[in-house]
Amino acid sequence: MIDKMSRHTKKRYQAERRFKIYGLLAIMFALGFLGLMLSTIALRAIPAFTQTYIQLTVEFSAKILDVDNKRDVKQIARADFQKIIREALYAEFPAANKRQDKKHLKKLVSSEAGYHLSRDLLAAETTDLNFIGTSAAIWVKSSDDVDSFIKDFISREVDEINRRLNDQQIGWIDSLIADGKLETRFNWDFFKFADSRSPEDAGIRGAVMGSLFTLAITLMLSFPLGVFAAIYLEEYAKPGRITDFIGVNINNLAAIPSIVFGLLGLALFLNIFGMSRSSPLVGGLVLSLMTLPTVIITTRAALKSVPPSIREAALGIGASKMQTILHHVLPLAMPGALTGAIIGMARALGETAPLLMIGMVAFIADIPTNINDPATVLPVQIYIWADSPERAFESKMSAAILVLLFFLIVMNGLAVLLRRKYERRW
Amino acid sequence: MINTLLEENHMQENSILRAKYAAKNLDVYYADKQALFGINLDIMENQVTSLIGPSGCGKSTLLRCLNRMNDVIDICSVKGSIRLDGQDIYDDGIDVVELRARVGMVFQKPNPFPKSIYDNVAYGPKIHGMIDQKSDADEIVETSLKKAGLWQEVKDRLAAPGTGLSGGQQQRLCIARAIAVNPEVILMDEPCSALDPIATAIIEQLIDELKQKFTIVIVTHSMQQAARVSQKTAFFHLGSLVEFGDTDQIFTNPQNQQTQDYITGRYG
Amino acid sequence: MPYTTTISIFVSLCLLVTAYFWGVKRAIATKRSQTALSTQVKFHSLPGFHGAYVAIWCAIPSLVLFVAWQTLRPNFLPQWLAQDMAGLVLLISAGILGLFFAQKRIASRFKARHKVETAFSLVMLLSSLVAVFTTFGVVVSLVFETMRFFSKVSVSEFLFGLHWSPQIALRADQVASSGSFGAVSIFAGTLLITAIAMLIAVPIGLFSAIYMSEYATPKFRTWAKPLLEILAGIPTVVYGFFAALTIAPFMRNWGFELGLEISSESAMAAGLVMGVMIIPFVSSLSDDVINAVPQTLRDGSAALGATKSETIRLVLLPAALPGIVSSVLLATSRAIGETMIVVMAAGLAANLTANPFQAVTTVTVQILTLLVGDQEFDSPKTLAAFALGFVLFLLTLGLNILALKIVNKYREKYD
Ligand SMILES: Nc1ncnc2c1ncn2[C@@H]1O[C@H](COP(=O)(O)OP(=O)(O)OP(=O)(O)O)[C@@H](O)[C@H]1O
Ligand SMILES: [Mg+2]
């Protein structure tokens, strides 16, 4: 009997150990996946933070820039600066004189290089135009193929036909490197520019601004509305059917898939109210409806945790109900409400689907300046880039994800801090 | 000093009876706070031993040491030794699962599992591999419920949830659940405190019958109950064992002033 | 155009502040003149309340007018009234009228405080109704558009038809302009992906919850629990990116080695990643309900000599079952409504298949693809998205209500 028992016990302990290991494995799997995902993304993002530049000795020839010799800034701004850069390239490699060679050669630099050159030179109306007729050594952005080659995404080993750069181009790159005329720098433009068709020029400034405007609208609407609603439900409404109904409604609202809010936005704001598509205003409206339940629910919890004795004390010295709430209860519940709002904002910041439906998915190369400008937001920008065929966008979107996650970490960290600092046990 | 003297007395008196448990210099701590101080106590086989004393004096703590239920509490640590049939139950080699199969426990508040009455009783035998076929289980359930005096009341609704019984029935169900594993010792922590006098009487009678087969340790706040059901009584105060002896003697002729005060209701 | 909104907001704010201080000033002035006459008169409300009263009277008429104007503008107003300037003028004049009306009423006995309190509570009430109106708006817009859809396509074709190709409806004058709208393959695809996700999320989530609540040391818990919750906080587009650009290619290569045909967009890749995303939804609620099982049951089981895992399997899980079921239902509803992961990793083709390695499509993907891009609001193609949205809404709402019901019942049991 005893022997049978202990053999049985042994088995039971094995089962116990197995069970515990399953639990640990489950957590390890989930956390491992998280780690894998984040580290993959971080690794892929690294190339996006650098950009290859090529040094060229350009000649600002008046023949190209100022054909009729009027020295008119506006006129010059429209001139073909790209041609100047091309000419400099041809001068750098005089051996490439066939049409075909020249075609390959000019693909070494970014097709936007001329545009940026003119912008840099003619930043102000009153620029002095003395540079015309002189020559200077300047750094221009390489094309994204060259950039990819430098970052080892294009391998020499591959057959020439399957390579985006041919042997001749690689030869030129090698000679540029040998002359110290090719350099990799930190890619500030990624944080300065909006979206672009050329990967080397694409940045996230536009999306970040779009997200900022959208979130501002969301916060401005959902925070006061949510706090007011919570005050009504906790402080004014008599417990009963109607209050329950509203409460249930709010809970259900929190469970509606975000894409359905997109449908609502489409039908209501765009179709019936005729508001403009792709605008942060409409995006913010949709997201605030989505965020509202989160704010209400957390604020209600915060109001509930303010002890009744505080209300009684205030009412006891003759404060009105409104004064009691505004002077005593709400300030105590504020950290909770703010935490809820931040958590809601963080979710809104990561939201993609409903914004796609109200048209924030368009290609927008300008940085939005107000809430009615067509704009996109960070997650949507990631989605747009994920759809692009160019290899270079892959690192761009990884980098954009890092930026998005950075904002999320900051927001959630803020929420945690707030909670820690003001958490009160009555 | 008195303790050891008393203890030796008993050893001589009860030399026919075997000591089931022997606690030696037992100290118990909850984190830094000491809850039991140098307890020396023998518990005799097939007797009912009751532990009495004012609230917070460490009765439950001692009881929970006897089947190592204190292991569940992280901050609890135990020094000294407790021997069950001569073996220290806090030895490394001791397996708590097997220990608890030998030492059952009934709690202050009835805590049936949210399962059927049948499953409640069959649970212990099932996990200990005492059941090979369905008829074994049926038999164990029936005999256990009979021993617990509950069979007549529930035999027609074994599939009903155990939580649906009355408080007294629930407590007897918990007793049935404990004896279904066929333990050697049953520990009871104020088993009647949540029950009315009639249910209490039934359980007291049950305890009396059970002592034929089991060694029973019971914590109680009722002097009458201790006097009625137990053969030995231990009086605790502030974590120390003040007096231990035959129940008759403790209640009629306590050696210690504190005991005297407590049983006559002067404090506690 | 773009600046008018900003300007109107700014002007209204200025107006409000002016109104407030005007009210305060008038109240103080009135009070002074009256106390000069006799000391008996007691001013009922503080000057601040009078200010607030005037501000409210300034705000409400202009707000009401503005909202009405915005609503009517696109369809019902004449050209000259629909202009931005007209709106601004309306806004300001209504505000000023209100201001003058209100400031006249300031007097010693005037109960401004009561009025303000009433207005305050009304604002609170209205705010709480916004949530109700939103739900109402969702239901109405979905039902309305769905009905229009069903006036063009029969209900039975939608629910039981096997063929889905809405893209045919390019031009309204084409004969076969209606396309075909048999949504069965979409529902099947949704089901397949959700099933895969739940197959991953339920065991892993449940085991995580069990480990967290029963085995983990407090220290491990304080670290691991928030880390696990991060999974739920990461935007879904990030998961979609990971699924499409890392998991899917990996699986395709892996399948290639094994001689399996795995398409680059597969139900498996989407389902797997979605499953991971859902884990915290299962684990945190399950963790809560397992923790809520009374300690006495754990003690009771341990006292009978049960090992921890036996206690968990035989006592805790059965006791916590309702809560666990509802957490699974909530997670399912999440999975069904999830969009970005499937859009990026599952594909657009409406395949009717049970093979998890093929591309399938889901309700959410179809809603998105039907509506992104050109929109013609009468075409069955656009309306189909609303019909799908309605199905999605009903499904998730049903799951949610069921889950809440179960969990409430469970709460009653242990409270
Ligand atoms: N889990 C615990 N953590 C910390 N201290 C504890 C714990 N359990 C008991 N104690 C402390 O140990 C001491 C003895 O407690 P114990 O429960 O053994 O008393 P008791 O004699 O059973 O009292 P009662 O008659 O009220 O049940 C008390 O001071 C109590 O505060
Ligand atoms: Mg006790």
Side-chain angles (χ1 to χ4, degrees), chain C residues 313-332:
Chain C
R313 271 188 299 119
L314 301 171
V315 178
L316 299 188
L317 290 187
L321 193 64
I324 292 171
V325 168
S326 71
S327 81
V328 170
L329 290 182
L330 286 178
T332 311

Side-chain angles (χ1 to χ4, degrees), chain A residues 101-174:
Chain A
D101 292 349
K102 286 186 170 178
K103 208 176 119 196
H104 289 314
L105 190 54
K106 74 184 184 201
K107 282 202 179 136
L108 292 187
V109 293
S110 163
S111 56
E112 307 283 329
Y115 168 72
H116 290 301
L117 183 58
S118 81
R119 286 254 310 232
D120 289 349
L121 289 172
L122 307 168
E125 286 282 322
T126 55
T127 331
D128 79 74
L129 296 170
N130 292 339
F131 65 86
I132 291 179
T134 66
S135 69
I138 58 163
W139 288 92
V140 298
K141 264 188 211 171
S142 76
S143 70
D144 92 86
D145 285 341
V146 174
D147 195 49
S148 298
F149 176 76
I150 298 297
K151 288 168 182 165
D152 283 337
F153 292 134
I154 296 174
S155 162
R156 287 170 204 266
E157 320 296 313
V158 181
D159 282 341
E160 194 178 6
I161 326 154
N162 297 327
R163 216 194 292 131
R164 299 198 53 161
L165 291 174
N166 61 22
D167 290 342
Q168 194 182 23
Q169 285 170 313
I170 290 181
W172 289 325
I173 296 173
D174 285 339

Side-chain angles (χ1 to χ4, degrees), chain B residues 7 47 51 75-76 79 83 93 129-130 146 158-159 166 169 181 194 207 226 232 236 258:
Chain B
E7 203 182 318
Q47 277 196 343
L51 312 180
I75 55 169
C76 182
K79 280 204 198 119
R83 292 180 180 278
M130 292 160 66
K146 274 183 178 154
L158 291 175
S166 77
Q169 289 172 326
V181 196
I207 292 172
K232 287 277 193 308
F236 289 82
Q258 281 179 323

Side-chain angles (χ1 to χ4, degrees), chain A residues 12 16 232 249 271 320 357 372, chain C residues 5 117 135 305 309-310 377:
Chain A
R12 286 169 64 195
E16 167 77 19
Y232 178 77
N249 226 307
N271 256 15
S320 72
M357 308 192 58
N372 275 313
Chain C
T5 327
E117 297 253 342
T135 318
S309 67
E310 284 160 351
F377 241 80

Side-chain angles (χ1 to χ4, degrees), chain A residues 1-2 4-10 12-13, chain B residues 95-98 101 126-130 132:
Chain A
M1 180 65 202
I2 291 289
K4 186 188 165 199
M5 185 88 163
S6 61
R7 222 179 313 126
H8 180 70
T9 316
K10 217 181 203 169
R12 286 169 64 195
Y13 273 114
Chain B
D95 172 45
V96 278
V97 165
E98 283 180 3
K126 201 158 81 193
I127 57 172
H128 292 297
M130 292 160 66
D132 291 326

